[in-house]
Amino acid sequence: MTLNAVSIWVRLRNPAEEAAAVSLLAKTFAALPHVSVQGASGKALSETPERAILILDSEVKHLDSLLREVAELPQRKSMSVWLRVGDGSPIPQSFVDGRVDDLLIEPIRSLELVGKLRHHDQLRISQGVFQLQSALARVMTNLKADLELLERLQ
């Protein structure tokens, strides 16, 4: 199986926590050359690449406005948004509402991250199949219309 490049962007509430999380994630995924990890503070969310994983802190300022901005990104359908929460925290409303795709529980467990990455890859594959199926359905509809027109012309 060919693995697609995955970029993980981390935006946490303060630079020190973000740097520590980026370091942990980079170490966790060091054996996976198709995964890159970087801090996202100071970067526009519109720069987030397709098929990326965006990790946001549940306690970051203006989380709701950040999630609205993410929802409006053209690449949103191809990316995953994970929300970092503390162990024992209540289920965030943004997860219930579907504005975030997964929860990343503190303290972060390396092996759990690997499983979440595989889940992200599977979601992207499923999405690709769905897009292909939709395109094929449109082609079939157009082909049927063309055949009906051809029958009328005979």
Side-chain angles (χ1 to χ4, degrees), residues 23-126:
S23 177
L24 172 68
L25 292 168
K27 287 177 187 172
T28 300
F29 295 120
L32 304 174
H34 70 288
V35 179
S36 65
V37 182
Q38 60 185 301
S41 291
K43 294 182 181 180
L45 289 175
S46 60
E47 296 176 35
T48 309
E50 289 194 14
R51 294 184 307 278
I53 298 169
L54 176 63
I55 299 174
L56 298 174
D57 194 322
S58 62
E59 296 181 19
V60 72
K61 288 183 181 180
H62 313 293
L63 178 63
D64 284 333
S65 63
L66 276 175
L67 290 173
R68 277 192 299 277
E69 184 180 346
V70 168
E72 295 172 2
L73 295 173
Q75 65 269 38
R76 174 58 179 109
K77 290 182 180 178
S78 72
M79 60 189 281
S80 293
V81 179
W82 296 353
L83 190 64
R84 186 181 84 151
V85 297
D87 191 18
S89 297
I91 299 173
Q93 189 62 41
S94 55
F95 181 73
V96 173
D97 296 343
R99 293 181 292 155
V100 298
D101 303 305
D102 207 345
L103 301 175
L104 188 59
I105 300 169
E106 277 287 326
I108 297 172
R109 294 166 184 86
S110 298
L111 290 177
E112 183 180 359
L113 283 172
V114 175
K116 286 183 180 292
L117 180 63
R118 174 153 300 170
H119 180 71
H120 168 79
D121 288 341
Q122 291 300 317
L123 284 174
R124 300 296 67 87
I125 290 168
S126 298

